[in-house]
Amino acid sequence: MLEGRGKNSQNMLKTIKKWVDRERRVLITASAVAGTVIVLRWCGFLQVGEWTAFDRFVRWRPAESIDSRITIVEIKEADLQKYGYPISDAVLAQLLQKLHAASPRAIGLDVYRDLPTQPGNAQLLKTLKTIPNLIGIELMPDETRIGVGPPPVLDKLDRIGFNNVVIDADGKVRRTLLYAWPGDGKTHQSFALKLALLYLDREGISPQPATVNPKYLQLGKGVFRPFEPNDGAYVRADSRGYQILANLRGPIGSFRTVSMSDVLSDKVPADFVRSRAVLIGSNAASLKDFYQNAYSSGLFASPQQIPGVELQAHFLSQILSAALDGRRGINVWPEAAELLWILLWSWTGASVSWKLRSLGRSAWCLLSICLGLSASLYLAFLAGWWLPLIPAILSLLGSGVAVVCYLAHLQEELKRSKEFLQSLIDTIPDPIFVKDINHRSVVLNQAYCRFIGYPLAILTCRTDYDLFPQAEADIFWQQDELVLQTHQPGENEEYFTDAHGITHLIATKRTLHKDAAGNLFLVGAIRDITERKLREEALEQKNAELSHQAYHDALTGLPNRKMFYECLHQSLERASSNQDLVALLFLDLDGFKSINDTLGHNLGDLLLKAVASRLKKCLRGSDIISRLGGDEFTVILPAIPGHEEAAKVAEKICEAIVQPFILEEHTVYVTTSVGISLYPIDGQESDILVKNADAAMYRAKEGGKNQYQFVE
């Protein structure tokens, strides 16, 4: 059971190690691919693709209802033909007066009027002064344009907003400006913001610092986070002024629209204007006031442009809807979160491909994940979040392809390595096996197949547990695993049972081989040492018997004189190191010669064996009993406390020997005389201690026998 638990623990550790190694490779691959994608993104190569995905999500959004708060008065080609171009100040004044009469909340004049256009300039100037909720436009100069000034009258009344539009590199408008600081010391408001503030003033809403961040603009329910240079798909974009991402309401036609001619002809119902924001601007192709946005392109249709006045209406609607309805804008993650997002999908692609280990299955799975990812990000976009799609898909597919290519490289190298090892081991007469890191046989030579007793087809891709008994397979697995873990060669002697049930003793030398792709192989060479081991064991047994005979008494089996002196010498050395006492007892049987002469040598030998047996029972396991010859015995008592304890042992021996012996139906009585010497009291050399103990023994005999005496 303990062996099984140990093996399970090793298997668990191996599994954990393989998992850690796999995750390490996956993370390295994912990091490399993600780093490449991030560099491509930072260089701007993915910007257009992400803009395209953004536009697609915008077009796929459910259509929103027409914003009834805004009405657009269009100046069409027919109006230009009817009233002439440029439109005179008189016509423009009449248009403004009719609209003002319908009580709109705000009127936005998205028409440049920095110079008089006769006739009617005086009438227009008077009209501009008398309409308090009228906002005019200006075009601020920049690097590409010289700018167009505002109507002087409205400029003095601070009722001007700029209509500058931020255009991305692909020619589309995805951002809008709320504030600008062009360097003249003034804060300029956009045309849409200026109109929105007029409209919201009736609702008691004015610009405030946002509670979430005092640097953000808050209008009613809406918080407008300023655009940063790397927001969303943008890379080091121009973020001057207070920009926000444009959240368009829909394609062309998202607002109620009337023509200038209809207003001048009184064909427009007053409800279209009353309490609404009215924007006046051109929708004439000849004036070229058009822009492209997310709705301007399709899969097959040519780009559709939106009039500038309708684009301004979208900007105005975004501000009003956010402030009054809480309509969400377009939010983006912080740059650090987007980088982690890219790394996550790179790791996902690498993990999936590593787990599936198949080009076809990986391709289907990764494509399915791409579709799921696209759908998820579309749902996130509906909730107001613009998250990176193109970098995530590139990271997912890139890391997946990288892992598949790496695994294909491993398989090719594995095939080459197997072919090389097979050609190599086939020339070797000894049994050779090659295993992978999972302990499966991958390459075997014919000598191995003959030795095991199975054909190559059965042995290939099998483990030792499929071929050998559990106990043998456990040992093979442990030895293999030791080499795989330590990367050090090993040589071991093992038993194994072949297909015919014959058990062999083998010597196996194991080494590791690593190919160019890093695949590890365990190579083992086997030698059958069964006969050699049998000869060695027979020789060892014979040597052991000779050694025993050389150091033991043949009759009693006790250590002989030679072994006694070696043991005594060792006991004295230990006692000297530990500063202990050692007692030496010298025994001689009383009357043994008469027993030997009267009852015979055979009975005498039996008596000596019986005496040796009784001595063993009287002493400790650490005490050493020896037979010096004849009827003389010695006892070494290491680490004895003193004289008293040695005397007790001697008394115990005398009492044991004095008991009658029953030998072949003869009752034999015998006693013993004991002489005792102590190290280092009675001597520090072996010969002196023996001599003193022998002398003490003779004094015990002279004193009446069956007793002990210490050295005088």
Side-chain angles (χ1 to χ4, degrees):
M1 184 179 294
L2 292 177
E3 290 181 358
R5 290 179 181 175
K7 184 173 182 300
N8 289 337
S9 299
Q10 289 179 337
N11 282 332
M12 184 177 296
L13 289 174
K14 183 178 179 182
T15 301
I16 293 174
K17 184 177 179 181
K18 288 175 62 178
W19 180 84
V20 170
D21 182 65
R22 187 195 73 179
E23 290 302 312
R24 180 180 61 83
R25 296 189 182 188
V26 166
L27 186 58
I28 290 174
T29 303
S31 300
V33 173
T36 302
V37 172
I38 290 171
V39 169
L40 291 175
R41 189 174 192 239
W42 183 250
C43 293
F45 295 120
L46 307 183
Q47 192 168 235
V48 174
E50 291 192 80
W51 284 342
T52 302
F54 173 88
D55 295 345
R56 183 66 60 186
F57 283 171
V58 169
R59 291 195 295 273
W60 284 348
R61 288 191 303 185
E64 297 187 52
S65 60
I66 291 177
D67 192 344
S68 60
R69 292 175 294 231
I70 299 173
T71 299
I72 299 176
V73 178
E74 293 182 333
I75 302 174
K76 300 182 178 181
E77 287 289 353
D79 297 322
L80 297 179
Q81 293 175 5
K82 181 176 181 180
Y83 297 103
Y85 180 80
I87 297 175
S88 68
D89 290 346
V91 174
L92 193 57
Q94 184 184 3
L95 176 65
L96 292 173
Q97 291 168 2
K98 286 184 175 291
L99 290 174
H100 179 59
S103 302
R105 284 200 188 184
I107 301 175
L109 182 60
D110 188 17
V111 176
Y112 293 121
R113 191 58 59 162
D114 56 328
L115 298 174
T117 304
Q118 299 293 354
N121 181 251
Q123 181 184 358
L124 178 61
L125 293 177
K126 181 179 179 181
T127 301
L128 294 178
K129 292 179 181 179
T130 56
I131 301 178
N133 57 349
L134 174 64
I135 303 298
I137 62 168
E138 66 172 335
L139 179 66
M140 295 185 300
D142 56 26
E143 293 84 353
T144 60
R145 293 171 292 191
I146 60 174
V148 178
V153 174
L154 295 180
D155 190 24
K156 292 179 181 179
L157 297 173
D158 194 24
R159 288 194 269 122
I160 295 297
F162 61 81
N163 70 340
N164 295 64
V165 176
V166 182
I167 301 175
D168 290 333
D170 62 348
K172 292 185 179 179
V173 177
R174 299 182 181 88
R175 293 172 283 162
T176 180
L177 269 168
L178 298 182
Y179 294 97
W181 299 273
D184 56 2
K186 296 171 57 180
T187 297
H188 294 247
Q189 294 177 332
S190 71
F191 180 60
L193 178 61
K194 201 81 172 180
L195 288 171
L197 294 179
L198 271 178
Y199 190 98
L200 295 173
D201 184 61
R202 295 276 295 272
E203 305 290 337
I205 297 174
S206 61
Q208 301 291 333
T211 55
V212 295
N213 189 331
K215 296 182 179 180
Y216 296 175
L217 169 66
Q218 181 162 354
L219 289 172
K221 299 178 182 179
V223 175
F224 301 89
R225 173 186 172 275
F227 174 81
E228 299 292 340
N230 294 315
D231 277 355
Y234 289 92
V235 179
R236 299 183 298 279
D238 182 359
S239 60
R240 287 177 294 178
Y242 197 112
Q243 303 180 29
I244 61 172
L245 289 170
N247 190 14
L248 304 180
R249 195 170 190 89
I252 294 176
S254 296
F255 302 95
R256 180 180 289 133
T257 304
V258 298
S259 69
M260 184 179 75
S261 298
D262 289 341
V263 175
L264 293 175
S265 303
D266 296 324
K267 295 180 180 180
V268 177
D271 289 343
F272 280 25
V273 178
R274 185 179 299 115
S275 299
R276 289 169 170 77
V278 179
L279 280 74
I280 306 170
S282 71
N283 187 12
S286 60
L287 297 182
K288 299 180 181 180
D289 185 19
F290 291 90
Y291 298 91
Q292 294 187 46
N293 60 15
Y295 290 97
S296 297
S297 60
L299 289 177
F300 306 106
S302 58
Q304 184 180 16
Q305 294 185 322
I306 183 173
V309 65
E310 187 166 348
L311 185 63
Q312 294 294 335
H314 276 288
F315 298 157
L316 173 59
S317 176
Q318 179 177 350
I319 299 172
L320 295 180
S321 298
L324 297 174
D325 308 330
R327 180 173 178 255
R328 296 178 178 177
I330 297 176
N331 301 299
V332 296
W333 274 347
E335 191 171 2
E338 292 186 345
L339 298 182
L340 290 176
W341 172 259
I342 294 171
L343 179 60
L344 171 65
W345 286 108
S346 184
W347 176 84
T348 301
S351 297
V352 168
S353 293
W354 196 283
K355 185 175 182 180
L356 297 178
R357 306 180 77 88
S358 166
L359 177 60
R361 287 184 296 172
S362 296
W364 279 110
C365 188
L366 293 178
L367 288 176
S368 300
I369 294 175
C370 287
L371 292 176
L373 174 61
S374 301
S376 300
L377 294 195
Y378 171 67
L379 294 176
F381 191 79
L382 294 180
W385 288 95
W386 180 21
L387 306 182
L389 174 63
I390 302 303
I393 289 178
L394 284 180
S395 297
L396 177 74
L397 298 178
S399 59
V401 170
V403 168
V404 168
C405 292
Y406 175 70
L407 292 175
H409 172 64
L410 288 182
Q411 291 296 325
E412 183 63 26
E413 287 297 328
L414 179 63
K415 180 181 177 182
R416 293 179 182 176
S417 297
K418 287 181 179 180
E419 292 173 350
F420 168 74
L421 291 172
Q422 188 70 63
S423 64
L424 182 64
I425 68 174
D426 280 341
T427 62
I428 301 174
D430 290 331
I432 305 292
F433 64 83
V434 179
K435 298 178 182 178
D436 60 17
I437 59 174
N438 297 315
H439 299 260
R440 295 188 179 278
S441 299
V442 293
V443 180
L444 305 166
N445 66 355
Q446 288 301 319
Y448 181 88
C449 299
R450 290 191 298 270
F451 188 57
I452 300 298
Y454 291 106
L456 180 62
I458 293 179
L459 296 175
T460 303
C461 295
R462 298 289 186 93
T463 67
D464 292 329
Y465 289 98
D466 300 324
L467 304 171
F468 306 116
Q470 174 80 26
E472 295 178 5
D474 284 341
I475 294 175
F476 298 155
W477 190 93
Q478 291 171 4
Q479 300 299 341
D480 291 347
E481 188 66 17
L482 181 62
V483 176
L484 287 169
Q485 294 293 336
T486 63
H487 289 210
Q488 297 297 321
E491 187 167 1
N492 308 93
E493 293 182 359
E494 303 150 340
Y495 287 95
F496 96 97
T497 304
D498 63 18
H500 308 293
I502 301 174
T503 300
H504 300 260
L505 180 61
I506 59 174
T508 307
K509 185 173 183 180
R510 295 173 172 86
T511 56
L512 279 185
H513 169 75
K514 181 185 287 187
D515 63 16
N519 295 305
L520 276 179
F521 300 95
L522 179 73
V523 181
I526 296 175
R527 285 182 294 111
D528 189 351
I529 59 173
T530 307
E531 293 185 3
R532 191 194 78 187
K533 273 295 180 181
L534 290 175
R535 292 194 298 268
E536 289 177 354
E537 289 175 359
L539 182 60
E540 288 176 359
Q541 184 177 0
K542 185 176 181 180
N543 290 337
E545 291 175 356
L546 292 175
S547 177
H548 188 273
Q549 292 173 6
Y551 285 93
H552 290 79
D553 176 51
L555 178 62
T556 62
L558 296 175
N560 59 14
R561 179 182 294 272
K562 184 177 182 180
M563 184 123 183
F564 160 72
Y565 275 101
E566 289 186 5
C567 292
L568 180 59
H569 181 70
Q570 294 172 1
S571 298
L572 297 183
E573 284 186 347
R574 285 195 295 270
S576 176
S577 300
N578 301 327
Q579 297 189 358
D580 291 333
L581 295 177
V582 177
L584 173 62
L585 280 60
F586 200 103
L587 288 69
D588 187 84
L589 299 181
D590 301 323
F592 175 75
K593 186 176 183 302
S594 62
I595 294 171
N596 214 17
D597 291 342
T598 58
L599 298 178
H601 291 286
N602 183 50
L603 200 66
D605 290 345
L606 292 177
L607 177 59
L608 292 173
K609 290 182 180 180
V611 169
S613 178
R614 287 191 184 180
L615 288 174
K616 292 177 183 178
K617 295 177 181 178
C618 294
L619 301 172
R620 303 171 299 178
S622 59
D623 300 335
I624 302 168
I625 310 168
S626 304
R627 182 190 176 205
L628 298 187
D631 59 345
E632 292 180 339
F633 296 87
T634 58
V635 177
I636 302 172
L637 304 176
I640 195 79
H643 288 78
E644 184 178 349
E645 288 74 18
K648 288 180 180 180
V649 175
E651 288 177 358
K652 188 175 182 181
I653 290 173
C654 290
E655 290 174 0
I657 300 300
V658 79
Q659 302 300 319
F661 293 89
I662 307 300
L663 305 171
E664 291 185 352
E665 300 180 356
H666 293 280
T667 301
V668 179
Y669 295 90
V670 70
T671 61
T672 183
S673 297
V674 182
I676 306 172
S677 63
L678 267 69
Y679 169 88
I681 300 171
D682 300 323
Q684 298 185 7
E685 301 293 334
S686 301
D687 293 340
I688 295 175
L689 289 171
V690 172
K691 181 180 179 181
N692 289 337
D694 183 52
M697 181 271 295
Y698 276 107
R699 285 193 294 102
K701 282 186 177 291
E702 292 172 356
K705 302 179 181 179
N706 194 29
Q707 61 178 292
Y708 63 88
Q709 290 289 335
F710 283 96
V711 176
E712 292 183 349

